[in-house]
Amino acid sequence: MSSRSSARLGRSLLLHLVLTPLALIWLFPLWMMVVFSTMPDNGIFSPGIELLPHGNFIDNFNNLQRDTNFVGAIGISVSVAVTYTVLSVLLTSMAGWALARYQFFGKGAIVAIILGTITLPYAVVLIPQFIMVARDFKLANTWVALIVPPLFNSLGVLFMRQSFSMMPDDLFDAARVEGVKEWRIFLFVALPLARPMLAALAIILFLASWNNYLWPLLINSQPGSMTAPVALGTLIGLTKVSWGGIMAGAVMLTVPMLVVFVLLQRHFIAGIAAGAVK
């Protein structure tokens, strides 16, 4: 083995020795969430520390389902997240394409405004958005209110703008010379080239919608239209908190997302790297 290979192996071993404990520290709260989901409410706050799962997960889930219709809430969350992700990816891609490939009056000002909106805390726009959607448009307790207001994502627009700016102009000019219409260039030339960036953006937007709690809590007050995070929040009462049910629901919301991220992390990392480096 050459000295260069030995040095590379040594650096790899050192890196693993440092990162493995950090990874275990990060995973420990998730593991404890799984353990708590299998324990009764009175066992969660017992003096001793339990590190192994028990056998109460089914009971906790049954209580959760009885109190919140959690399966139905998960179905609503999946439908809202998928619809939101598809529409938001399409909208932000179209906006990013226009800002990257077309020259028009006020383009710099639009980009500056979009950049400025990233610095605004969500709490600043939350109340005006609620008044406009619920009072003026009368869309409270509808799927439109859950999906449409958050559709425009400033970070997604800037991310796709950067992605389309990296693509060679000659490719699109050649398509125009051949008489290809602009919308076909966007759909069948630009979007396929941006597939890694689109995958990364889709993962980010889906997780944002999946974990969104505050806006669905405000705009949907009907029990039958609650998303899963809001349904979990209803288990916290004034005199009683169903911790076992909350932990069981948190596991059901978290574990599938971790599995999806692990399976798609290669596309996520590739998309982030491709969109960040010019």
Side-chain angles (χ1 to χ4, degrees):
M1 182 180 295
S2 64
S3 58
R4 182 176 298 179
S5 300
S6 300
R8 187 182 299 112
L9 179 60
R11 288 194 298 269
S12 177
L13 290 176
L14 180 61
L15 185 64
H16 281 77
L17 288 175
V18 173
L19 293 182
T20 299
L22 294 177
L24 293 177
I25 292 173
W26 181 83
L27 289 172
F28 182 74
L30 299 178
W31 174 249
M32 292 308 301
M33 178 181 67
V34 174
V35 173
F36 289 154
S37 71
T38 63
M39 298 173 63
D41 288 347
N42 57 2
I44 293 177
F45 295 98
S46 60
I49 299 178
E50 298 287 345
L51 297 178
L52 296 178
H54 291 239
N56 287 83
F57 182 85
I58 300 299
D59 293 336
N60 289 334
F61 173 75
N62 289 336
N63 294 334
L64 173 66
Q65 177 65 19
R66 183 194 65 231
D67 295 337
T68 65
N69 186 23
F70 195 67
V71 173
I74 287 181
I76 293 174
S77 286
V78 171
S79 301
V80 169
V82 170
T83 306
Y84 166 78
T85 301
V86 172
L87 294 178
S88 188
V89 166
L90 180 61
L91 180 64
T92 53
S93 298
M94 293 170 63
W97 171 257
L99 293 174
R101 290 296 167 180
Y102 299 135
Q103 299 297 326
F104 52 89
F105 177 77
K107 175 181 174 180
I110 292 175
V111 174
I113 292 173
I114 294 175
L115 280 170
T117 60
I118 297 178
T119 64
L120 288 176
Y122 183 57
V124 173
V125 300
L126 181 63
I127 300 304
Q129 179 175 285
F130 174 78
I131 293 174
M132 182 176 63
V133 173
R135 186 189 67 183
D136 299 339
F137 295 156
K138 302 186 186 307
L139 292 174
N141 299 308
T142 64
W143 283 36
V144 175
L146 282 175
I147 297 171
V148 173
L151 272 183
F152 186 81
N153 185 277
S154 301
L155 187 62
V157 172
L158 296 175
F159 182 71
M160 293 311 300
R161 173 178 174 267
Q162 175 67 18
S163 302
F164 290 131
S165 298
M166 296 164 51
M167 298 178 183
D169 295 332
D170 296 341
L171 182 64
F172 305 117
D173 292 338
R176 293 187 182 99
V177 170
E178 294 294 328
V180 181
K181 296 183 181 299
E182 288 294 323
W183 67 271
R184 293 182 64 88
I185 294 176
F186 171 69
L187 288 179
F188 300 110
V189 179
L191 288 186
L193 290 176
R195 190 178 295 117
M197 288 75 80
L198 291 173
L201 180 61
I203 294 172
I204 294 172
L205 294 177
F206 184 88
L207 290 177
S209 178
W210 183 260
N211 295 321
N212 193 8
Y213 175 78
L214 186 55
W215 176 247
L217 175 66
L218 288 178
I219 202 63
N220 273 358
S221 59
Q222 299 297 328
S225 59
M226 289 182 178
T227 58
V230 177
L232 275 185
T234 61
L235 295 179
I236 301 177
L238 295 176
T239 59
K240 179 183 178 182
V241 179
S242 178
W243 291 111
I246 291 175
M247 292 295 107
V251 168
M252 295 184 65
L253 291 179
T254 304
V255 172
M257 294 301 102
L258 287 177
V259 173
V260 169
F261 181 79
V262 169
L263 293 177
L264 300 179
Q265 64 176 330
R266 180 174 58 183
H267 303 284
F268 178 77
I269 296 173
I272 293 294
V277 179
K278 185 175 181 180

